[in-house]
């Protein structure tokens, strides 16, 4: 009969590589976590002084935005008809200053609606310009 | 009789290398987060045909609580133009990209003055959006 010899030694897994494993895990999770959006739309806005001069020289399209509505020169327009209408109104205008489209928004217009409209203006060949109402503070004595 | 001396092996202990790397990484992550806006909570608006944005010189964000951030630091619209001008300095055109992240429900009253400040500071505005695939 063969008797097995017992050594009584503890066998431990090597722990030297634990740090490296932790390091690699962290790198992995960092890469996974950094999936923030990094794409979008470039928008060139003419400087306000230039816009004022341009408005004096030529009649530009004016888009009025409310929370749900879009108006071109005061006339309500459906979103599906928006691009063809703007294209039609801009046709025949070759100078960049004539292609300026003035966007005037009500205070409560949400960003997603604003982006949808300004994106369509640019797709139609227009140059977006904002008309912002200046707030005036009056101190009552 | 000459006794030969036992040579001792001297090695730099490398067991702690992993821990050192780990701590360095944590340090740099914390340092990077101070100028980052990834911790902000916002929902991007959707738009058709978006493209990959150029690297940002400045990142501006309006989160879902309507708070305004300049490179991850909370700020106000009044200070924004000066902050952008200072940051962009004399950078040439093409390197003056300003990323604008706006929560999709933010009202015009809040985001339009921000756009105006970017424009008047000479920033090249890029709206960060999600692609509308419908």
């Amino acid at each position: 009969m063969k008797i097995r010899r017992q050594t009584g030694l503890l066998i431990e897994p090597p722990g030297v590589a634990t740090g490296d494993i932790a390091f690699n895990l962290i790198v992995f999770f960092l890469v996974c976590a950094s999936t923030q959006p990094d794409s979008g739309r470039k928008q060139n806005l003419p400087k306000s002084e230039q816009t004022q001069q341009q408005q004096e020289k030529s009649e530009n399209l004016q888009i009025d935005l409310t929370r749900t509505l879009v108006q071109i020169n005061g006339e309500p327009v459906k979103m599906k008809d928006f691009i063809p209408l703007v294209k039609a109104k801009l046709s025949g205008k070759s100078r960049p200053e004539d292609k300026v489209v003035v966007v005037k928004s009500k205070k409560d217009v949400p960003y997603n609606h604003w982006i949808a409209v300004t994106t369509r203006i640019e797709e139609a060949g227009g140059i977006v310009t904002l008309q912002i109402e200046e707030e005036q503070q009056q101190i009552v004595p | 009789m000459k006794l030969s001396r036992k040579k001792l092996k001297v090695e730099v202990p490398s067991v702690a290398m992993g821990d050192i790397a780990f701590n360095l990484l944590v340090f740099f992550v914390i340092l990077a987060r101070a100028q980052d806006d990834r911790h902000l909570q916002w929902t991007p608006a959707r738009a058709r045909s978006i493209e990959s944005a150029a690297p940002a010189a400045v990142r501006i964000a309006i989160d879902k609580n309507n708070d305004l951030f300049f490179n991850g630091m909370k700020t106000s619209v009044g200070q924004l133009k000066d902050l952008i001008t200072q940051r962009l300095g004399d950078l040439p055109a093409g390197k003056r990209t300003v990323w604008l992240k706006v929560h999709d429900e933010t009202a015009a009253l809040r985001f339009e003055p921000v756009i105006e400040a970017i424009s008047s500071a000479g920033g090249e505005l890029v709206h960060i959006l999600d692609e509308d695939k419908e």
Side-chain angles (χ1 to χ4, degrees):
Chain A
M1 196 184 132
K2 215 175 182 181
I3 299 165
R4 266 196 146 176
R5 212 171 155 187
Q6 282 190 336
T7 54
L9 289 172
L10 274 172
I11 300 164
E12 276 185 35
V16 185
T18 319
D20 298 327
I21 295 165
F23 176 78
N24 283 304
L25 276 171
I26 290 164
V27 171
F28 171 75
F29 285 113
L30 271 180
V31 171
C32 286
S34 59
T35 51
Q36 281 274 313
D38 58 353
S39 49
R41 280 191 79 90
K42 200 174 175 183
Q43 196 169 52
N44 295 317
L45 293 169
K47 296 240 174 180
S48 50
E49 305 90 46
Q50 292 172 358
T51 314
Q52 217 169 15
Q53 286 171 357
Q54 283 159 10
Q55 279 176 339
E56 282 166 13
K57 283 177 191 169
S58 60
E59 277 288 308
N60 293 116
L61 268 186
Q62 184 169 320
I63 311 281
D64 291 292
L65 286 182
T66 64
R67 216 179 149 76
T68 48
L69 274 174
V70 186
Q71 293 179 320
I72 300 177
N73 290 343
E75 289 174 28
V77 177
K78 286 180 182 170
M79 280 301 254
K80 63 177 173 121
D81 304 327
F82 187 80
I83 295 179
L85 258 168
V86 176
K87 266 186 183 170
K89 288 197 186 283
L90 291 177
S91 64
K93 293 181 176 180
S94 53
R95 293 188 311 165
E97 55 263 39
D98 294 332
K99 290 186 176 183
V100 168
V101 178
V102 182
V103 178
K104 198 176 172 187
S105 311
K106 291 275 176 200
K107 289 175 184 177
D108 60 346
V109 173
Y111 181 68
N112 49 16
H113 183 45
W114 187 90
I115 274 290
V117 173
T118 53
T119 302
R120 281 170 172 79
I121 293 170
E122 283 173 350
E123 279 176 22
I127 299 166
V128 176
T129 303
L130 305 187
Q131 189 176 332
I132 302 171
E133 284 174 31
E134 282 181 29
E135 279 184 29
Q136 287 185 337
Q137 273 192 337
Q138 286 186 338
I139 300 162
V140 182
Chain B
M1 192 185 139
K2 207 176 182 182
L3 287 170
S4 61
R5 225 171 160 181
K6 199 180 174 184
K7 278 187 181 172
L8 287 170
K9 259 192 169 178
V10 182
E11 280 181 16
V12 181
S14 58
V15 185
M17 288 298 273
D19 299 326
I20 295 164
F22 174 81
N23 283 307
L24 275 172
L25 197 77
V26 171
F27 171 73
F28 284 113
V29 164
I30 292 168
L31 210 68
R33 269 193 91 108
Q35 291 203 332
D36 201 356
D37 55 9
R38 281 178 199 169
H39 58 286
L40 302 178
Q41 288 190 314
W42 66 293
T43 310
R46 291 178 168 270
R48 301 178 297 186
S49 61
I50 56 169
E51 52 203 41
S52 190
V58 173
R59 291 160 190 254
I60 293 165
I62 301 174
D63 72 354
K64 68 176 186 182
N65 299 320
N66 245 357
D67 290 325
L68 176 66
F69 294 87
F70 171 85
N71 283 346
M73 291 182 301
K74 206 169 171 179
T75 188
S76 64
V77 181
Q79 293 176 311
L80 196 61
K81 189 188 164 188
D82 291 338
L83 284 170
I84 300 168
T85 311
Q86 207 177 351
R87 190 68 177 222
L88 293 179
D90 297 325
L91 284 174
K95 291 193 173 177
R96 302 177 69 86
T97 307
V98 178
W99 282 13
L100 179 63
K101 299 174 178 181
V102 182
H103 181 64
D104 61 354
E105 284 297 322
T106 307
L109 179 71
R110 185 71 171 139
F111 68 78
E112 279 192 336
V114 174
I115 294 173
E116 194 192 19
I118 296 168
S119 176
S120 53
E124 291 162 2
L125 174 63
V126 175
H127 295 271
I128 299 299
L129 306 164
D130 242 0
E131 187 157 26
D132 192 359
K133 287 167 187 167
E134 285 168 24

